[in-house]
mmCIF file of all heavy atoms in Angstrom:
data_model
loop_
_atom_site.group_PDB
_atom_site.id
_atom_site.type_symbol
_atom_site.label_atom_id
_atom_site.label_comp_id
_atom_site.label_asym_id
_atom_site.label_seq_id
_atom_site.Cartn_x
_atom_site.Cartn_y
_atom_site.Cartn_z
ATOM 1 N N SER T 609 40.778 4.464 10.011
ATOM 2 C CA SER T 609 40.555 5.865 9.662
ATOM 3 C C SER T 609 40.519 5.993 8.141
ATOM 4 O O SER T 609 41.448 6.464 7.497
ATOM 5 C CB SER T 609 41.664 6.749 10.243
ATOM 6 O OG SER T 609 42.935 6.293 9.823
ATOM 7 N N THR T 610 39.426 5.538 7.576
ATOM 8 C CA THR T 610 39.222 5.523 6.128
ATOM 9 C C THR T 610 37.785 5.898 5.841
ATOM 10 O O THR T 610 36.894 5.711 6.686
ATOM 11 C CB THR T 610 39.529 4.124 5.552
ATOM 12 O OG1 THR T 610 39.017 4.040 4.226
ATOM 13 C CG2 THR T 610 38.878 3.033 6.382
ATOM 14 N N SER T 611 37.532 6.400 4.659
ATOM 15 C CA SER T 611 36.171 6.793 4.282
ATOM 16 C C SER T 611 35.243 5.593 4.191
ATOM 17 O O SER T 611 34.015 5.754 4.145
ATOM 18 C CB SER T 611 36.193 7.540 2.944
ATOM 19 O OG SER T 611 36.728 6.710 1.917
ATOM 20 N N ARG T 612 35.803 4.390 4.172
ATOM 21 C CA ARG T 612 34.970 3.188 4.065
ATOM 22 C C ARG T 612 34.425 2.740 5.414
ATOM 23 O O ARG T 612 33.626 1.795 5.479
ATOM 24 C CB ARG T 612 35.777 2.051 3.426
ATOM 25 C CG ARG T 612 36.088 2.307 1.955
ATOM 26 C CD ARG T 612 36.880 1.169 1.368
ATOM 27 N NE ARG T 612 36.153 -0.091 1.462
ATOM 28 C CZ ARG T 612 36.716 -1.278 1.248
ATOM 29 N NH1 ARG T 612 37.992 -1.359 0.929
ATOM 30 N NH2 ARG T 612 35.999 -2.370 1.347
ATOM 31 N N VAL T 613 34.828 3.414 6.488
ATOM 32 C CA VAL T 613 34.320 3.110 7.823
ATOM 33 C C VAL T 613 33.787 4.396 8.435
ATOM 34 O O VAL T 613 34.535 5.357 8.613
ATOM 35 C CB VAL T 613 35.405 2.517 8.737
ATOM 36 C CG1 VAL T 613 34.804 2.121 10.084
ATOM 37 C CG2 VAL T 613 36.083 1.324 8.078
ATOM 38 N N VAL T 614 32.500 4.420 8.737
ATOM 39 C CA VAL T 614 31.873 5.595 9.338
ATOM 40 C C VAL T 614 31.482 5.266 10.771
ATOM 41 O O VAL T 614 30.915 4.203 11.051
ATOM 42 C CB VAL T 614 30.634 6.031 8.541
ATOM 43 C CG1 VAL T 614 29.923 7.195 9.233
ATOM 44 C CG2 VAL T 614 31.020 6.413 7.114
ATOM 45 N N PHE T 615 31.795 6.183 11.682
ATOM 46 C CA PHE T 615 31.540 5.977 13.108
ATOM 47 C C PHE T 615 30.393 6.864 13.592
ATOM 48 O O PHE T 615 30.222 7.982 13.102
ATOM 49 C CB PHE T 615 32.789 6.314 13.923
ATOM 50 C CG PHE T 615 33.941 5.372 13.710
ATOM 51 C CD1 PHE T 615 34.751 5.480 12.592
ATOM 52 C CD2 PHE T 615 34.227 4.373 14.634
ATOM 53 C CE1 PHE T 615 35.820 4.616 12.381
ATOM 54 C CE2 PHE T 615 35.297 3.505 14.443
ATOM 55 C CZ PHE T 615 36.086 3.624 13.313
ATOM 56 N N TYR T 616 29.644 6.355 14.565
ATOM 57 C CA TYR T 616 28.667 7.222 15.225
ATOM 58 C C TYR T 616 28.354 6.691 16.628
ATOM 59 O O TYR T 616 28.368 5.477 16.861
ATOM 60 C CB TYR T 616 27.390 7.363 14.400
ATOM 61 C CG TYR T 616 26.421 6.201 14.446
ATOM 62 C CD1 TYR T 616 25.301 6.220 15.284
ATOM 63 C CD2 TYR T 616 26.587 5.090 13.613
ATOM 64 C CE1 TYR T 616 24.387 5.183 15.292
ATOM 65 C CE2 TYR T 616 25.684 4.042 13.617
ATOM 66 C CZ TYR T 616 24.571 4.095 14.462
ATOM 67 O OH TYR T 616 23.673 3.045 14.470
ATOM 68 N N PRO T 617 28.098 7.607 17.576
ATOM 69 C CA PRO T 617 27.686 7.193 18.920
ATOM 70 C C PRO T 617 26.165 7.163 18.998
ATOM 71 O O PRO T 617 25.480 8.043 18.452
ATOM 72 C CB PRO T 617 28.265 8.302 19.803
ATOM 73 C CG PRO T 617 28.211 9.529 18.935
ATOM 74 C CD PRO T 617 28.359 9.054 17.501
ATOM 75 N N ALA T 618 25.611 6.163 19.655
ATOM 76 C CA ALA T 618 24.168 6.063 19.866
ATOM 77 C C ALA T 618 23.916 5.954 21.368
ATOM 78 O O ALA T 618 24.485 5.085 22.035
ATOM 79 C CB ALA T 618 23.610 4.846 19.138
ATOM 80 N N MET T 619 23.096 6.827 21.888
ATOM 81 C CA MET T 619 22.830 6.816 23.320
ATOM 82 C C MET T 619 21.971 5.599 23.698
ATOM 83 O O MET T 619 20.966 5.313 23.031
ATOM 84 C CB MET T 619 22.123 8.096 23.749
ATOM 85 C CG MET T 619 22.899 9.363 23.442
ATOM 86 S SD MET T 619 24.517 9.431 24.240
ATOM 87 C CE MET T 619 25.595 9.608 22.794
ATOM 88 N N VAL T 620 22.354 4.886 24.720
ATOM 89 C CA VAL T 620 21.552 3.761 25.206
ATOM 90 C C VAL T 620 20.192 4.284 25.643
ATOM 91 O O VAL T 620 20.089 5.262 26.383
ATOM 92 C CB VAL T 620 22.255 3.056 26.381
ATOM 93 C CG1 VAL T 620 21.306 2.079 27.075
ATOM 94 C CG2 VAL T 620 23.494 2.315 25.888
ATOM 95 N N ARG T 621 19.147 3.648 25.161
ATOM 96 C CA ARG T 621 17.783 4.059 25.506
ATOM 97 C C ARG T 621 16.917 2.816 25.689
ATOM 98 O O ARG T 621 17.326 1.703 25.356
ATOM 99 C CB ARG T 621 17.202 4.951 24.407
ATOM 100 C CG ARG T 621 17.217 4.306 23.039
ATOM 101 C CD ARG T 621 16.707 5.234 21.953
ATOM 102 N NE ARG T 621 16.821 4.638 20.620
ATOM 103 C CZ ARG T 621 15.968 3.759 20.114
ATOM 104 N NH1 ARG T 621 14.935 3.359 20.839
ATOM 105 N NH2 ARG T 621 16.138 3.267 18.897
ATOM 106 N N ALA T 622 15.734 3.033 26.209
ATOM 107 C CA ALA T 622 14.833 1.908 26.480
ATOM 108 C C ALA T 622 14.439 1.205 25.186
ATOM 109 O O ALA T 622 14.145 1.850 24.176
ATOM 110 C CB ALA T 622 13.594 2.406 27.203
ATOM 111 N N TRP T 623 14.453 -0.098 25.224
ATOM 112 C CA TRP T 623 14.063 -0.944 24.089
ATOM 113 C C TRP T 623 13.031 -1.940 24.619
ATOM 114 O O TRP T 623 13.220 -3.144 24.578
ATOM 115 C CB TRP T 623 15.300 -1.651 23.548
ATOM 116 C CG TRP T 623 15.123 -2.382 22.252
ATOM 117 C CD1 TRP T 623 13.970 -2.605 21.566
ATOM 118 C CD2 TRP T 623 16.158 -3.008 21.482
ATOM 119 N NE1 TRP T 623 14.199 -3.321 20.434
ATOM 120 C CE2 TRP T 623 15.545 -3.581 20.342
ATOM 121 C CE3 TRP T 623 17.535 -3.144 21.626
ATOM 122 C CZ2 TRP T 623 16.254 -4.286 19.386
ATOM 123 C CZ3 TRP T 623 18.229 -3.846 20.669
ATOM 124 C CH2 TRP T 623 17.606 -4.405 19.554
ATOM 125 N N GLY T 624 11.966 -1.361 25.159
ATOM 126 C CA GLY T 624 10.973 -2.186 25.828
ATOM 127 C C GLY T 624 11.443 -2.650 27.198
ATOM 128 O O GLY T 624 10.843 -3.533 27.806
ATOM 129 N N ASN T 625 12.541 -2.051 27.696
ATOM 130 C CA ASN T 625 13.108 -2.436 28.987
ATOM 131 C C ASN T 625 13.491 -1.194 29.779
ATOM 132 O O ASN T 625 13.378 -0.070 29.296
ATOM 133 C CB ASN T 625 14.341 -3.332 28.787
ATOM 134 C CG ASN T 625 15.426 -2.645 27.950
ATOM 135 O OD1 ASN T 625 15.165 -1.688 27.231
ATOM 136 N ND2 ASN T 625 16.646 -3.150 28.029
ATOM 137 N N ASP T 626 13.953 -1.378 30.992
ATOM 138 C CA ASP T 626 14.339 -0.268 31.861
ATOM 139 C C ASP T 626 15.861 -0.135 31.872
ATOM 140 O O ASP T 626 16.571 -1.008 32.366
ATOM 141 C CB ASP T 626 13.816 -0.515 33.289
ATOM 142 C CG ASP T 626 14.150 0.632 34.232
ATOM 143 O OD1 ASP T 626 14.648 1.676 33.761
ATOM 144 O OD2 ASP T 626 13.915 0.481 35.457
ATOM 145 N N VAL T 627 16.370 0.971 31.334
ATOM 146 C CA VAL T 627 17.813 1.214 31.314
ATOM 147 C C VAL T 627 18.144 2.520 32.032
ATOM 148 O O VAL T 627 19.183 3.129 31.794
ATOM 149 C CB VAL T 627 18.350 1.264 29.858
ATOM 150 C CG1 VAL T 627 18.262 -0.103 29.205
ATOM 151 C CG2 VAL T 627 17.606 2.308 29.043
ATOM 152 N N SER T 628 17.255 2.939 32.922
ATOM 153 C CA SER T 628 17.407 4.230 33.588
ATOM 154 C C SER T 628 18.664 4.312 34.443
ATOM 155 O O SER T 628 19.173 5.410 34.699
ATOM 156 C CB SER T 628 16.178 4.526 34.450
ATOM 157 O OG SER T 628 15.959 3.494 35.405
ATOM 158 N N ASP T 629 19.192 3.173 34.873
ATOM 159 C CA ASP T 629 20.397 3.206 35.713
ATOM 160 C C ASP T 629 21.661 3.481 34.913
ATOM 161 O O ASP T 629 22.685 3.889 35.485
ATOM 162 C CB ASP T 629 20.550 1.889 36.481
ATOM 163 C CG ASP T 629 20.608 0.676 35.568
ATOM 164 O OD1 ASP T 629 20.034 0.745 34.467
ATOM 165 O OD2 ASP T 629 21.223 -0.334 35.972
ATOM 166 N N VAL T 630 21.627 3.310 33.590
ATOM 167 C CA VAL T 630 22.833 3.528 32.773
ATOM 168 C C VAL T 630 22.648 4.575 31.679
ATOM 169 O O VAL T 630 23.627 5.041 31.093
ATOM 170 C CB VAL T 630 23.317 2.209 32.127
ATOM 171 C CG1 VAL T 630 23.753 1.215 33.184
ATOM 172 C CG2 VAL T 630 22.242 1.614 31.215
ATOM 173 N N SER T 631 21.408 4.953 31.380
ATOM 174 C CA SER T 631 21.178 5.910 30.298
ATOM 175 C C SER T 631 21.450 7.337 30.759
ATOM 176 O O SER T 631 21.393 7.639 31.959
ATOM 177 C CB SER T 631 19.751 5.791 29.764
ATOM 178 O OG SER T 631 18.810 6.070 30.785
ATOM 179 N N LEU T 632 21.744 8.206 29.809
ATOM 180 C CA LEU T 632 22.036 9.605 30.091
ATOM 181 C C LEU T 632 20.795 10.450 29.877
ATOM 182 O O LEU T 632 19.958 10.133 29.028
ATOM 183 C CB LEU T 632 23.149 10.108 29.170
ATOM 184 C CG LEU T 632 24.450 9.295 29.143
ATOM 185 C CD1 LEU T 632 25.407 9.891 28.113
ATOM 186 C CD2 LEU T 632 25.096 9.284 30.512
ATOM 187 N N ASP T 633 20.692 11.554 30.650
ATOM 188 C CA ASP T 633 19.573 12.451 30.382
ATOM 189 C C ASP T 633 19.894 13.265 29.128
ATOM 190 O O ASP T 633 21.000 13.201 28.582
ATOM 191 C CB ASP T 633 19.278 13.351 31.581
ATOM 192 C CG ASP T 633 20.405 14.307 31.938
ATOM 193 O OD1 ASP T 633 21.049 14.855 31.025
ATOM 194 O OD2 ASP T 633 20.642 14.523 33.149
ATOM 195 N N ALA T 634 18.925 14.037 28.659
ATOM 196 C CA ALA T 634 19.043 14.711 27.367
ATOM 197 C C ALA T 634 20.243 15.643 27.296
ATOM 198 O O ALA T 634 20.980 15.651 26.302
ATOM 199 C CB ALA T 634 17.751 15.469 27.067
ATOM 200 N N LYS T 635 20.464 16.445 28.328
ATOM 201 C CA LYS T 635 21.579 17.392 28.304
ATOM 202 C C LYS T 635 22.919 16.670 28.355
ATOM 203 O O LYS T 635 23.863 17.044 27.653
ATOM 204 C CB LYS T 635 21.454 18.374 29.467
ATOM 205 C CG LYS T 635 20.307 19.359 29.309
ATOM 206 C CD LYS T 635 20.287 20.380 30.450
ATOM 207 C CE LYS T 635 19.170 21.395 30.248
ATOM 208 N NZ LYS T 635 19.121 22.391 31.344
ATOM 209 N N GLU T 636 22.996 15.640 29.182
ATOM 210 C CA GLU T 636 24.231 14.847 29.242
ATOM 211 C C GLU T 636 24.512 14.207 27.887
ATOM 212 O O GLU T 636 25.645 14.236 27.389
ATOM 213 C CB GLU T 636 24.103 13.749 30.296
ATOM 214 C CG GLU T 636 24.158 14.226 31.727
ATOM 215 C CD GLU T 636 23.955 13.066 32.698
ATOM 216 O OE1 GLU T 636 23.012 12.278 32.470
ATOM 217 O OE2 GLU T 636 24.735 12.946 33.663
ATOM 218 N N ALA T 637 23.481 13.638 27.292
ATOM 219 C CA ALA T 637 23.649 12.960 26.005
ATOM 220 C C ALA T 637 24.155 13.925 24.928
ATOM 221 O O ALA T 637 25.025 13.582 24.127
ATOM 222 C CB ALA T 637 22.323 12.333 25.568
ATOM 223 N N ALA T 638 23.619 15.148 24.931
ATOM 224 C CA ALA T 638 24.033 16.136 23.936
ATOM 225 C C ALA T 638 25.515 16.470 24.075
ATOM 226 O O ALA T 638 26.237 16.589 23.081
ATOM 227 C CB ALA T 638 23.188 17.395 24.080
ATOM 228 N N ASN T 639 25.987 16.621 25.306
ATOM 229 C CA ASN T 639 27.393 16.952 25.538
ATOM 230 C C ASN T 639 28.313 15.764 25.265
ATOM 231 O O ASN T 639 29.379 15.905 24.649
ATOM 232 C CB ASN T 639 27.588 17.444 26.969
ATOM 233 C CG ASN T 639 26.962 18.806 27.202
ATOM 234 O OD1 ASN T 639 26.923 19.645 26.308
ATOM 235 N ND2 ASN T 639 26.441 19.042 28.403
ATOM 236 N N VAL T 640 27.905 14.593 25.704
ATOM 237 C CA VAL T 640 28.728 13.392 25.519
ATOM 238 C C VAL T 640 28.838 13.042 24.038
ATOM 239 O O VAL T 640 29.901 12.621 23.561
ATOM 240 C CB VAL T 640 28.149 12.211 26.327
ATOM 241 C CG1 VAL T 640 28.831 10.899 25.936
ATOM 242 C CG2 VAL T 640 28.316 12.462 27.824
ATOM 243 N N GLU T 641 27.769 13.225 23.293
ATOM 244 C CA GLU T 641 27.816 12.963 21.857
ATOM 245 C C GLU T 641 28.900 13.808 21.191
ATOM 246 O O GLU T 641 29.650 13.326 20.334
ATOM 247 C CB GLU T 641 26.461 13.255 21.235
ATOM 248 C CG GLU T 641 26.393 12.909 19.750
ATOM 249 C CD GLU T 641 25.034 13.210 19.142
ATOM 250 O OE1 GLU T 641 24.661 14.401 19.104
ATOM 251 O OE2 GLU T 641 24.353 12.260 18.715
ATOM 252 N N LEU T 642 29.013 15.067 21.607
ATOM 253 C CA LEU T 642 30.048 15.946 21.056
ATOM 254 C C LEU T 642 31.447 15.475 21.436
ATOM 255 O O LEU T 642 32.389 15.602 20.649
ATOM 256 C CB LEU T 642 29.832 17.378 21.525
ATOM 257 C CG LEU T 642 28.586 18.085 20.995
ATOM 258 C CD1 LEU T 642 28.531 19.514 21.518
ATOM 259 C CD2 LEU T 642 28.564 18.093 19.471
ATOM 260 N N ASP T 643 31.593 14.942 22.651
ATOM 261 C CA ASP T 643 32.889 14.400 23.057
ATOM 262 C C ASP T 643 33.338 13.291 22.105
ATOM 263 O O ASP T 643 34.504 13.242 21.684
ATOM 264 C CB ASP T 643 32.812 13.848 24.489
ATOM 265 C CG ASP T 643 32.655 14.935 25.539
ATOM 266 O OD1 ASP T 643 33.014 16.087 25.258
ATOM 267 O OD2 ASP T 643 32.169 14.616 26.644
ATOM 268 N N TRP T 644 32.414 12.417 21.764
ATOM 269 C CA TRP T 644 32.742 11.309 20.858
ATOM 270 C C TRP T 644 33.045 11.827 19.452
ATOM 271 O O TRP T 644 34.016 11.398 18.808
ATOM 272 C CB TRP T 644 31.598 10.291 20.829
ATOM 273 C CG TRP T 644 31.616 9.409 22.045
ATOM 274 C CD1 TRP T 644 31.135 9.718 23.293
ATOM 275 C CD2 TRP T 644 32.184 8.098 22.142
ATOM 276 N NE1 TRP T 644 31.359 8.680 24.155
ATOM 277 C CE2 TRP T 644 31.994 7.675 23.484
ATOM 278 C CE3 TRP T 644 32.814 7.245 21.240
ATOM 279 C CZ2 TRP T 644 32.448 6.423 23.923
ATOM 280 C CZ3 TRP T 644 33.250 6.003 21.680
ATOM 281 C CH2 TRP T 644 33.066 5.611 23.013
#
Side-chain angles (χ1 to χ4, degrees):
S609 55
T610 166
S611 60
R612 291 180 60 193
V613 184
V614 176
F615 292 79
Y616 78 99
M619 301 300 122
V620 168
R621 56 183 176 80
W623 189 353
N625 58 341
D626 182 8
V627 292
S628 57
D629 57 332
V630 296
S631 61
L632 307 177
D633 64 39
K635 290 184 178 180
E636 287 177 313
N639 290 327
V640 169
E641 184 180 64
L642 293 182
D643 290 338
W644 282 80

